[in-house]
């Protein structure tokens, strides 16, 4: 879960989030290199006194500064597309969970079992135990197995919601009248916290998600 002054991404708890972390670092490195290069060139332009009265065109340098950014963009685009397809990959799930967004709570159905469904409300601060997390803990947690492919079906009954668990690299829009699907695998035990990530009304901030 996110902690105080945590500016980076959360620790990954699924192979997909691990890849997203790597891609983030890879892109950040490229951006840092570009920023340093452009900054250095701008600094040199400001501080040197060289002039060339006869310079009218520079075909070679223009080709270089057109081709080089295109190559750099390819270094970002290919890993990005690979990840995009990996995120949409649906493996054979061991268990299916249906998540339904309401104003302002989630309800869950374990589709593989008969009559296993429940609502999940945030625990109000005045009812919270000493070891609970304010605005993040719920009365009924989702319990899911580790090292198994899990399919989540997400929908809503009223307005747009978004089912999001950052440490698993999962974010799915919950749209009324539509069923969205995502696949993930949890590779370590623990509690994983998320929140609705689509502004859905007055109590949007108070519909957390907890996976155990």
């Amino acid at each position: 879960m996110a902690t105080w002054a945590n500016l980076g991404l959360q620790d990954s708890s699924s192979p997909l989030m691990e890849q997203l972390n790597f891609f983030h670092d890879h892109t950040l490195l490229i951006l840092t290199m570009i920023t340093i290069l452009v900054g250095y060139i701008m600094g040199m332009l400001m501080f040197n006194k060289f002039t060339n009265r006869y310079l009218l065109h520079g075909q070679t340098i223009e080709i270089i500064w057109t081709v080089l950014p295109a190559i750099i963009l390819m270094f970002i685009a290919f890993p990005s597309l690979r990840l995009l397809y990996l995120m949409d990959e649906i493996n054979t799930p061991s268990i299916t969970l249906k998540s339904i967004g309401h104003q302002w709570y989630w309800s869950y159905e374990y589709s593989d079992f008969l009559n296993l469904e429940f609502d999940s409300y945030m625990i109000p601060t005045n009812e919270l135990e000493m070891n609970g997390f304010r605005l993040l803990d719920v009365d009924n947690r989702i319990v899911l197995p580790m090292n198994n492919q899990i399919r989540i079906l997400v929908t809503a009954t009223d307005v747009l919601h978004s089912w999001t668990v950052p440490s698993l690299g999962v974010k799915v829009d919950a749209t009324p009248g539509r069923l969205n699907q995502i696949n993930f695998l949890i590779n370590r035990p623990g509690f994983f916290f998320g929140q609705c990530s689509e502004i859905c009304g007055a109590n949007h901030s108070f519909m957390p998600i907890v996976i155990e």
Side-chain angles (χ1 to χ4, degrees), residues 142-211:
I142 312 159
V143 179
L144 290 172
M146 199 177 87
N147 293 330
N148 279 281
Q149 287 294 339
I150 295 154
R151 172 172 56 191
I152 304 277
L153 302 174
V154 185
T155 187
T157 54
D158 35 45
V159 296
L160 287 174
H161 298 279
S162 185
W163 198 87
T164 307
V165 182
S167 60
L168 298 176
V170 174
K171 182 170 183 166
V172 201
D173 279 350
T175 314
R178 231 187 124 141
L179 209 56
N180 289 328
Q181 163 177 281
I182 199 157
N183 221 64
F184 63 84
L185 179 140
I186 302 170
N187 59 11
R188 64 189 176 102
F191 294 110
F192 307 111
F193 295 87
Q195 286 174 301
C196 174
S197 297
E198 186 75 57
I199 294 176
C200 56
N203 291 339
H204 157 67
S205 310
F206 310 115
M207 45 185 299
I209 299 152
V210 185
I211 298 175

Side-chain angles (χ1 to χ4, degrees), residues 90-191:
I90 297 297
N91 302 302
T92 310
S94 306
I95 188 166
T96 301
L97 176 73
K98 187 177 180 187
S99 169
I100 303 155
H102 308 267
Q103 283 181 309
W104 288 273
Y105 65 96
W106 295 97
S107 57
Y108 299 100
E109 297 172 10
Y110 283 83
S111 313
D112 305 295
F113 307 98
L114 291 172
N115 302 325
L116 185 47
E117 50 189 76
F118 56 88
D119 296 334
S120 180
Y121 288 88
M122 185 194 82
I123 302 173
T125 308
N126 58 339
E127 294 174 20
L128 205 58
E129 291 178 18
M130 283 297 287
N131 60 352
F133 293 107
R134 182 178 163 272
L135 302 185
L136 280 179
D137 251 326
V138 294
D139 54 359
N140 293 313
R141 294 168 175 162
I142 312 159
V143 179
L144 290 172
M146 199 177 87
N147 293 330
N148 279 281
Q149 287 294 339
I150 295 154
R151 172 172 56 191
I152 304 277
L153 302 174
V154 185
T155 187
T157 54
D158 35 45
V159 296
L160 287 174
H161 298 279
S162 185
W163 198 87
T164 307
V165 182
S167 60
L168 298 176
V170 174
K171 182 170 183 166
V172 201
D173 279 350
T175 314
R178 231 187 124 141
L179 209 56
N180 289 328
Q181 163 177 281
I182 199 157
N183 221 64
F184 63 84
L185 179 140
I186 302 170
N187 59 11
R188 64 189 176 102
F191 294 110

Side-chain angles (χ1 to χ4, degrees), residues 67-84:
V67 172
L68 203 63
I71 293 167
I72 292 169
L73 282 175
M74 283 163 70
F75 273 98
I76 297 174
F78 287 132
S80 172
L81 286 168
R82 172 182 160 273
L83 256 178
L84 212 59

